[in-house]
Amino acid sequence: MYNNSNTERRTGEGLFTGVNPVMAVGSTVLVIAFVLFTVMVPETAGSLYNSAKGFIANNLSWYYIGLVSFFLFLAFAMTMSRYGNIRLGKDDEKPEYSFFSWFSMLFGAGIGIGILFWSIAEPIYHFQSNPFIAEGQESSVEAAQIAMRISIFHWGLHGWALFALSGLGLAYFHYRKGLPLSVRSGLYPIFGDKIYGPIGHAADLLAVFGTVFGIATSLGLGAQQMNTGLNYLFGFEVSITNKIIIIAVISVLATMSVLSGVNKGIKILSEFNMHLTMVMLVFFLIFGPTVYILGSFATNLGDYLTNAIPLGFWVETDPGNSWQGGWTIFYWGWWIAWAPFVGIFIARISRGRTVKEFLLGVLLAPTLLSTFWITTFGNTAMFLELFGAGGVTEAVNADITSALYTTIELMDLGSTLTILGAAMCTVLLVTYFVTSADSATLVICTILSMGDENPANRYRIFWGLSIGAVSAVLLFAGGLRALQTASIVAALPYSFVLILTTWGLLKSLHLEVSEIISTIDDEEHPYSAGNAAPAAAPAE
C-alpha cells in the first residue's frame, strides 16, 4: 500500500513549517561545508576532487559507459512495451501543458544553456584532436565530420535517456501512486515506508547536492561568457566584480520567476527562450553558409544514428590516453548528476501524459533540436575554418567564452547584423540561465518540502539567492572548476540511486499491469492501460 500521509511526510513547525527539518538543516550544512572546504583549502580540495575523478576515469569508465547505454536501451524498450499506454495520472487525465510549452520547459531546464556554451567550442576542440582521427588528419574535412559526430553524441540520446527514466519514475509514483514528488519515492517498492527515514533522506540530499552545485557552477561559468558578450557589445570590463554583479542580477531575476510559479514565470520565460532560439537558428541559417549547414544536418544526423551504438559502447583501453575521461566520462557524470534536478522538473510538468508519450518526447525531440543546434553553430565555425579565413580555433584555444562571438564576427555580416547576432546570443544566455536557475530553485524547495509542488515562497527566496551566493563565492575564490569536478564525482553514488529507482519503477509497473490483466473479463478488449488500475493512496 502506498503511504502518503502527513505523518509520514514529517514536515516541521515554526521555522521549519512546510519543510522536513532533517532535510532543511542537512542540505544547508552540506552546502556550507563543501563551499568552505573548497574555498578555505582550495589546493587540498582540488587535489581530492581531481583524484576521485581520476579514479573514476581510470577504473570505472566501463561502468559509466555500460550504465548509460543500458538506460538508453531500456528507455526505448519501455516505449514498445505493454507499459506504454499507462497514464501519468488518472486514466482520463489529459496533459497539463501543450507540447510546445512542455518541450520548451524541459529543454530549457535540461541543457539549454550548456549547448549554447559548447555548440561551437566542443566541435572545435575535437576538430583538433580526438582518438578517432588518424594521425595527420587533424583539422581536415574528415576531422570535422568526426568532431561533429562526437559532439552530437555527447548531447544526444544517451544523456536524455537518463533524464527520461529519472523523470518517468518520479512522475509515475507521484501522479499515479500519490507519493511525494521526490527522489525517495522511487525507492518505495523496494524499501516501503523506510523511504521516510535515513534511506530517503540520503537519496534526496544527493539530489540537492547535485542540483545546487550543478546550477551554481554553471551560473558562474556562464557569467564569464555573459561578461565576454557584454564586453563585446558595450565595452563592459571583464572582471571578477562584474561577473559577480551578473550573477546577482541573474539570481534576483530567477527568484522573481520562481516566485510567480510554473504556470507564469517559468512557463512564459521557457516559451520565450524557445522562440528566441528559433530566431537565432534561422539567423545563422540565413546569414551563414546555408547550403553547407543544411547538407551537414542531414549528414550529421545520419552519421550520428549510424555510430551512436558503437560510440556508446567504446571504452578507451590505453591507460595513457585521458581523452575519454576528460570528455565522455565527464559528460556522463554530469548528466547523472543533473538527473534528479531535471527529472523532478520534467515530472512536475508531465501530468497526464502516457509512458510512451513521455519517453519518446523526452528522448527524440531534444535530440533532434540538439543535433540541428550543434550543426547550425558548429558547422558554421567549421566552414570558416575549412573554407574561410579561419580564426575560430585560435579564439577557442585562447578564451573559450569568446567562441560564439568570434564566430559571429568572422561571418562578416556587416556591423549592424553582427551586433544584432551578438545581442540575441547574449539575451539568450541570460534568459536560459534564469530558466535553469528558477527551475533548480523550485526543485530544491520541492525536495525539502517532501514533494510539495507549491513550496512556501520564503524557501524559494532563500534557495534562489543562496544558489547565486554559492556561485559568487566560488567564482571569487577560484573554486568553480573544483566543485564542478566534485559534482561529477557525486554522480557515482547517485548512479546507484538511479538504478534502484528504475528497478522500483519496473517492479511497480509490472505489478500494476498484472493486476489490470487479472481483472479484465474475457469479453473485454485486450489489455489497455488504465482499466481497473489499482487505486492510489488517498489524496491529502
Side-chain angles (χ1 to χ4, degrees), residues 1-36:
M1 184 66 180
Y2 290 90
N3 193 333
N4 190 32
S5 68
N6 281 322
T7 301
E8 293 299 336
R9 282 182 179 238
R10 294 191 180 93
T11 52
E13 299 177 352
L15 180 64
F16 298 108
T17 300
V19 295
N20 181 282
V22 174
M23 288 296 300
V25 174
S27 58
T28 303
V29 170
L30 182 68
V31 169
I32 292 175
F34 268 88
V35 170
L36 289 178

Side-chain angles (χ1 to χ4, degrees), residues 7-341:
T7 301
E8 293 299 336
R9 282 182 179 238
R10 294 191 180 93
T11 52
E13 299 177 352
L15 180 64
F16 298 108
T17 300
V19 295
N20 181 282
V22 174
M23 288 296 300
V25 174
S27 58
T28 303
V29 170
L30 182 68
V31 169
I32 292 175
F34 268 88
V35 170
L36 289 178
F37 176 62
T38 305
V39 169
M40 296 179 69
V41 284
E43 292 184 2
T44 302
S47 177
L48 178 63
Y49 301 155
N50 284 320
S51 295
K53 178 189 172 186
F55 175 81
I56 291 172
N58 294 328
N59 299 281
L60 295 175
S61 292
W62 60 270
Y63 171 72
Y64 276 63
I65 294 294
L67 180 68
V68 174
S69 293
F70 169 75
F71 275 119
L72 176 59
F73 281 104
L74 179 61
F76 273 111
M78 290 181 68
T79 66
M80 298 179 284
S81 72
R82 58 184 183 174
Y83 309 139
N85 291 327
I86 292 178
R87 195 167 292 279
L88 303 175
K90 297 178 181 178
D91 298 328
D92 58 351
E93 278 193 271
K94 300 299 180 184
E96 186 176 1
Y97 299 100
S98 68
F99 180 80
F100 179 78
S101 297
W102 179 67
F103 174 69
S104 297
M105 287 189 282
L106 77 87
F107 188 82
I111 60 170
I113 188 59
I115 202 171
L116 183 59
F117 189 95
W118 286 105
S119 55
I120 291 173
E122 184 175 351
I124 292 296
Y125 271 124
H126 300 322
F127 180 56
Q128 301 173 74
S129 174
N130 70 74
F132 307 102
I133 299 178
E135 187 175 350
Q137 282 190 338
E138 296 87 352
S139 301
S140 64
V141 173
E142 293 78 8
Q145 187 56 56
I146 293 172
M148 297 306 299
R149 177 195 309 161
I150 295 170
S151 300
I152 294 169
F153 167 66
H154 286 154
W155 294 92
L157 292 169
H158 286 77
W160 281 103
L162 293 168
F163 288 173
L165 287 176
S166 177
L168 176 64
L170 294 163
Y172 173 80
F173 285 112
H174 181 57
Y175 294 122
R176 190 77 179 176
K177 299 300 181 183
L179 290 171
L181 183 58
S182 191
V183 172
R184 69 180 70 214
S185 296
L187 302 173
Y188 192 91
I190 302 171
F191 298 107
D193 288 344
K194 291 181 180 178
I195 66 167
Y196 297 104
I199 292 174
H201 294 334
D204 281 348
L205 282 174
L206 279 173
V208 171
F209 180 93
T211 301
V212 171
F213 292 120
I215 290 297
T217 51
S218 292
L219 181 58
L221 296 173
Q224 298 177 44
Q225 189 176 32
M226 281 183 255
N227 199 171
T228 299
L230 292 172
N231 175 262
Y232 181 84
L233 290 168
F234 309 111
F236 194 60
E237 182 185 1
V238 176
S239 66
I240 290 293
T241 300
N242 287 338
K243 291 170 187 175
I244 291 176
I245 292 173
I246 291 171
I247 290 173
V249 172
I250 296 297
S251 299
V252 171
L253 292 175
T255 302
M256 292 170 61
S257 176
V258 78
L259 284 173
S260 65
V262 174
N263 290 323
K264 293 182 180 178
I266 296 176
K267 176 174 174 284
I268 293 172
L269 192 57
S270 297
E271 291 179 346
F272 172 80
N273 287 341
M274 191 54 60
H275 284 118
L276 187 55
T277 295
M278 296 298 105
V279 171
M280 196 69 239
L281 292 173
V282 170
F283 177 90
F284 267 73
L285 191 60
I286 292 175
F287 297 108
T290 307
V291 175
Y292 179 74
I293 291 173
L294 293 175
S296 296
F297 175 64
T299 301
N300 290 344
L301 184 59
D303 186 51
Y304 165 64
L305 293 176
T306 302
N307 291 280
I309 294 177
L311 276 175
F313 282 105
W314 178 73
V315 178
E316 175 60 68
T317 55
D318 180 3
N321 193 328
S322 61
W323 182 90
Q324 187 175 48
W327 285 102
T328 304
I329 302 306
F330 180 88
Y331 266 116
W332 288 176
W334 193 246
W335 283 95
I336 293 171
W338 275 54
F341 152 47

